[in-house]
Amino acid sequence: MNYLLALDQGTSSSRSIVFDRDGHVVAMAQREFRQIYPQPGWVEHDPRDLWQTQLETAREALAKAGLSARDIRAVGITNQRETTVVWNRRTGEPVYNAIVWQDRRAEATCAALRDAGLTPMVQEKTGLRIDAYFSGTKLKWILDQVPGARAQAEAGELAFGTVDSWLIWQLTKGRTHVTDHSNAARTMLFNIHTQDWDTDLLRALDIPAAMMPRSLPSSAPFGEVDPAWLGAPLVIGGVAGDQQSALFGQACFSAGMAKNTYGTGCFMLMHTGERFQISQNGLITTAAAQPPGTPQYALEGSVFIGGAVVQWLRDGLRAIESSSEVQALAESVPDAGGVVLVPAFTGLGAPYWQPDCRGSIVGLTRGTTMAHIARAALESIAFQSASLLQAMSRDAVASGGVPVAELRVDGGACVNDLLMQFQADLLGIPVVRPAVIETTALGAAYLAGLHAGMYSGLEELSAQWKAERVFHPTLSRERATERMAQWEHAVRQTVAA
């Protein structure tokens, strides 16, 4: 039993990965599922699709590895965060589709909460901004809008959960209704100091406490997979929201360590240890994934459009036929020729928080080619991420810490060497790509392995982490500062437009 099974339930696909004890990928399976857009700004998933594709990939990954469930020491789960599911406790059926983290339908509720003066209380208790991104206002929408839902909830008949809770309910055949602190911290209903659901916040959103799952540390006994699903009972020993799981998989266990995930968007987290810190620079505070013990925190910033800018080049501008072509096109010119692309297609996230501005391209001349625009598109990912890291470093220094010394990277776009080198040049610190870039799933596997006794502790996991390549800065700090000033100027023009 020297293997771990990680279930990675994402926004566009469900994946399952079998890892060996050393953290190497043994086998992987992936299934995409349907995206539902009932009207502009609304994004939904069918919760049954999430469960079925996750179960299918778990079975397929085991088969590909040539293993049975009896060879697996424990199961870890990581998931798209904030996505909200409500189901009937007796039948296990959802009362409505899952409302996805990207969904903006609850903005009116958020505006009412802000107008009621609740922003300081929410930030102090949860570390979050009042925003439709988080689960609490999505849950309130379901209770208010689905016929009969509120009455059923008040009678104790309904259960709420983020996607991890929904999967665990299915895996255990309704025996366990739990979540972990890292997912609970994304609901806007969880006090990350006391590590429990907050009575004041539940009351403010009119949510019955009976709906809420029990919240545990990220490495803990979350229940047992029913043998009917995979052929043998399996302990679920690790659960974490995807970004906190990636921080753990990158072995960023101590204050000042940071990682950036380059996916559809970019998510940067910096561990702050036992220190709860409210950002003065546009970031949010969240619970870090951790074994039982003193609460651990992280600062987080989100870039809405990261790798998605490459999809736009492919599908919108038709500048490339496949995403893999973007590096060669960008490298066909020595620089972006003064072009700066601000990909605010859905507004700008942290540290700007400008939801209503839209994208722009500045610095165009008669000499501008598609190659320059492609290079500017790639550079926009690094510019946005550099702004996040600078904000984090300012927060760290203000609280008596030190600036981030290196950035560990993962996610699909981190394989782009041009992008990673430019990121190092802008930041002036090493950018480190690990040998295993499946760090989100790896984090969940490690958390499960810790609970199951496969690892002695965090020191052993730190020793297992290996770098595949280190990108050292080659640009002078003066030139890097000039480039960041160009970017900030372009952002100001975009926001003012």
Side-chain angles (χ1 to χ4, degrees):
M1 294 173 67
N2 280 326
Y3 298 95
L4 296 162
L5 174 63
L7 309 184
D8 182 357
Q9 205 301 299
T11 309
S12 57
S13 68
S14 296
R15 300 192 309 157
S16 293
I17 303 180
V18 177
F19 291 96
D20 65 18
R21 191 187 183 289
D22 296 326
H24 299 133
V25 174
V26 178
M28 181 190 313
Q30 181 168 352
R31 292 252 203 303
E32 293 189 358
F33 51 81
R34 186 168 55 116
Q35 307 292 309
I36 303 166
Y37 306 103
Q39 57 180 276
W42 292 28
V43 189
E44 298 176 359
H45 295 151
D46 184 334
R48 289 163 292 222
D49 289 347
L50 307 185
W51 160 236
Q52 284 301 322
T53 53
Q54 197 63 77
L55 179 62
E56 289 164 6
T57 58
R59 289 170 170 167
E60 186 182 336
L62 287 173
K64 280 184 173 179
L67 301 171
S68 76
R70 299 186 190 282
D71 299 308
I72 303 297
R73 178 76 69 92
V75 174
I77 297 174
T78 184
N79 56 286
Q80 53 168 317
R81 306 172 302 171
E82 300 94 19
T83 296
T84 300
V85 189
V86 176
W87 65 94
N88 185 290
R89 289 181 181 275
R90 184 177 53 81
T91 66
E93 286 297 306
V95 303
Y96 189 78
N97 278 338
I99 301 182
V100 179
W101 59 273
Q102 299 156 314
D103 189 282
R104 304 301 298 176
R105 76 186 68 185
E107 178 50 42
T109 301
C110 293
L113 294 173
R114 289 190 288 266
D115 290 345
L118 295 183
T119 297
M121 180 181 82
V122 168
Q123 191 169 39
E124 179 52 44
K125 287 174 178 280
T126 70
L128 308 177
R129 304 167 69 92
I130 294 177
D131 194 88
Y133 178 25
F134 305 111
S135 313
T137 52
K138 302 180 196 295
L139 171 53
K140 177 175 169 56
W141 187 94
I142 291 174
L143 294 181
D144 290 343
Q145 301 298 325
V146 175
R150 183 167 290 285
Q152 288 179 285
E154 289 171 352
E157 297 171 9
L158 301 185
F160 153 77
T162 42
V163 170
D164 56 307
S165 297
W166 167 246
L167 292 179
I168 294 168
W169 180 276
Q170 298 294 335
L171 288 164
T172 63
K173 291 199 169 178
R175 287 188 287 271
T176 314
H177 184 211
V178 292
T179 188
D180 89 300
H181 298 336
S182 74
N183 276 296
R186 313 300 296 187
T187 61
M188 224 169 70
L189 300 168
F190 187 75
N191 187 314
I192 62 175
H193 306 279
T194 63
Q195 298 195 313
D196 205 354
W197 304 109
D198 190 272
T199 305
D200 294 336
L201 295 171
L202 290 169
R203 187 183 302 120
L205 285 163
D206 197 15
I207 291 167
M211 299 186 73
M212 310 309 285
R214 187 162 57 99
S215 186
L216 302 172
S218 302
S219 182
F222 289 92
E224 197 172 78
V225 178
D226 191 279
W229 298 128
L230 298 175
L234 285 171
V235 171
I236 304 169
V239 174
D242 52 11
Q243 301 309 321
Q244 290 100 324
S245 189
L247 189 72
F248 199 86
Q250 287 276 30
C252 294
F253 301 138
S254 56
M257 299 184 76
K259 71 90 194 174
N260 196 24
T261 298
Y262 296 81
T264 302
C266 295
F267 295 88
M268 188 179 292
L269 273 73
M270 180 181 74
H271 209 293
T272 61
E274 297 175 11
R275 189 179 70 253
F276 173 86
Q277 179 183 353
I278 291 179
S279 172
Q280 303 303 312
N281 293 282
L283 307 175
I284 60 175
T285 308
T286 198
Q290 64 172 99
T294 307
Q296 306 267 305
Y297 303 105
L299 286 173
E300 176 175 335
S302 306
V303 168
F304 295 156
I305 300 294
V309 75
V310 178
Q311 295 171 323
W312 172 72
L313 287 175
R314 182 192 67 197
D315 304 332
L317 293 190
R318 302 193 181 278
I320 51 176
E321 289 190 7
S322 71
S323 298
S324 59
E325 296 171 19
V326 70
Q327 181 167 337
L329 179 59
E331 284 182 332
S332 67
V333 289
D335 54 45
V339 176
V340 180
L341 191 158
V342 181
F345 305 147
T346 55
L348 284 172
Y352 306 105
W353 294 106
Q354 296 285 341
D356 297 325
C357 75
R358 291 296 175 258
S360 68
I361 305 176
V362 301
L364 296 173
T365 69
R366 282 289 299 272
T368 299
T369 67
M370 192 56 74
H372 292 109
I373 292 172
R375 188 160 186 129
L378 273 188
E379 289 182 350
S380 75
I381 303 172
F383 278 131
Q384 293 176 97
S385 297
S387 295
L388 282 184
L389 194 88
Q390 288 175 354
M392 283 183 176
S393 290
R394 286 195 295 272
D395 278 331
V397 171
S399 66
V402 295
V404 176
E406 70 171 25
L407 182 65
R408 296 185 175 186
V409 297
D410 53 65
C414 85
V415 301
N416 189 302
D417 292 347
L418 178 69
L419 173 60
M420 293 299 100
Q421 183 59 55
F422 187 61
Q423 189 73 85
D425 287 343
L426 286 180
L427 296 175
I429 60 173
V431 167
V432 187
R433 187 166 62 202
V436 178
I437 64 169
E438 298 292 348
T439 52
T440 302
L442 182 61
Y446 277 166
L447 288 161
L450 275 175
H451 173 70
M454 185 180 279
Y455 305 109
S456 58
L458 299 184
E459 297 79 11
E460 183 179 355
L461 295 179
S462 289
Q464 276 199 183
W465 186 89
K466 298 284 190 297
E468 179 262 327
R469 181 168 172 183
V470 180
F471 296 86
H472 294 282
T474 57
L475 205 61
S476 73
R477 297 319 303 142
E478 182 182 18
R479 181 64 181 137
T481 301
E482 288 174 6
R483 294 303 315 273
M484 284 304 298
Q486 284 180 309
W487 164 256
E488 295 295 347
H489 177 68
V491 168
R492 285 193 298 275
Q493 288 180 283
T494 302
V495 170

